[in-house]
Amino acid sequence: MDKKTAIITGASGGIGFEITKSVANSGYRVIMACQNIEKANIQRELLVHETGNHDIEVKYINLASLRSVSEFADELLKKEESIRILMNNAGTIATCKKSTEDGIESTTSINYISHYLLVRKLLPLMSNGTRIVNMVSCTYTIGKIDFPDFFIHGSRKRFNSLSVYSNTKLALLLFTFELSGKLKELGIVVNAVDPGVVSTNIISMKKWFDPLTDIFFRPFIRTPKKGASTAIDLLLNEKHGSVSGKLFAGNKMKKVGNKYTDPVIRKKLWRETEKIVEVFL
């Protein structure tokens, strides 16, 4: 019998760690796709101890490099492992504009394009019953996709961390809807999850007044465990085995307005992203 393999990006901290723990507890062979290998190995030992599952492996991936993503996927393709779960969890908010070696704005690469490429590369290892879950954010509602500025600068306007982050989360949501339609006949389900406002390191306090804000604000936002609960439910609950192309938040399906599901923008985003990643496919 083939092992049930799960791949989780950003698995070593915050929400990703909680998702990884639950998936490992369910008996999956888990691949922790992480950039910080030292931290991930420490977390792996903790996970093995807490879950009793020794079939947890750490693999290096740098989502700011399409070549790294491609090499990560190629290694799995050589082994021909059957993938049952792909959790695209990793994300970042940049404090300033940076470009990757591929000429892409870094937040856009990490939050969206690299996960797009990872899915596209690994599709041959997926089949009926595979679940793909993309971690988005409620900020998709203020996102906007401007071509070609989205890929190069993250936004048409002057660089703003929240705006660029929101744009990438909208892109990932649009990708979820478009991919779901393309994979429907194969029985591969694709959904997006909004974890809510969660107390993780992605929320950074860097302004002079932020230490006080941090003290008073963080106690009222979700813990990583609570933030992970909806994703865990989507990945492991049998009732979601045939649900696809939806957004979930607070363990419930969430209605998305037509403004954020526009098929014209979805298809154009797909075409433009394909142009960027095609050399690696």
Side-chain angles (χ1 to χ4, degrees), residues 154-174:
S155 173
R156 180 177 294 178
K157 301 176 182 178
R158 182 178 178 182
F159 186 88
N160 176 278
S161 297
L162 181 59
S163 294
V164 172
Y165 176 80
S166 303
N167 295 347
T168 64
K169 292 303 182 180
L170 174 58
L172 195 59
L173 184 63
L174 292 168

Side-chain angles (χ1 to χ4, degrees), residues 1 12 37 51 59 61 95-96 101 106 114 120 131 142 150 177 190 200 213 257 260 263 279:
M1 176 182 281
S12 63
I37 297 298
T51 67
K59 284 186 178 293
I61 190 170
T95 56
C96 60
E101 62 188 37
S106 62
S114 284
R120 291 284 283 109
R131 301 189 191 191
I142 59 173
F150 170 68
F177 297 144
V190 190
T200 68
T213 306
Y260 311 107
V279 68

Side-chain angles (χ1 to χ4, degrees), residues 174 178 258 260-269 271:
L174 292 168
E178 189 67 14
N258 294 335
Y260 311 107
T261 62
D262 189 335
V264 174
I265 296 177
R266 278 165 35 191
K267 294 182 186 306
K268 184 173 183 179
L269 180 64
R271 291 195 303 270

Side-chain angles (χ1 to χ4, degrees), residues 134-186:
N134 296 320
M135 188 68 74
V136 296
S137 161
C138 59
T139 62
Y140 77 85
T141 57
I142 59 173
K144 187 176 182 180
I145 310 298
D146 291 314
F147 301 99
D149 301 86
F150 170 68
F151 298 105
I152 303 169
H153 305 295
S155 173
R156 180 177 294 178
K157 301 176 182 178
R158 182 178 178 182
F159 186 88
N160 176 278
S161 297
L162 181 59
S163 294
V164 172
Y165 176 80
S166 303
N167 295 347
T168 64
K169 292 303 182 180
L170 174 58
L172 195 59
L173 184 63
L174 292 168
F175 172 53
T176 300
F177 297 144
E178 189 67 14
L179 183 67
S180 171
K182 293 180 181 295
L183 300 182
K184 185 176 181 180
E185 292 185 1
L186 298 177

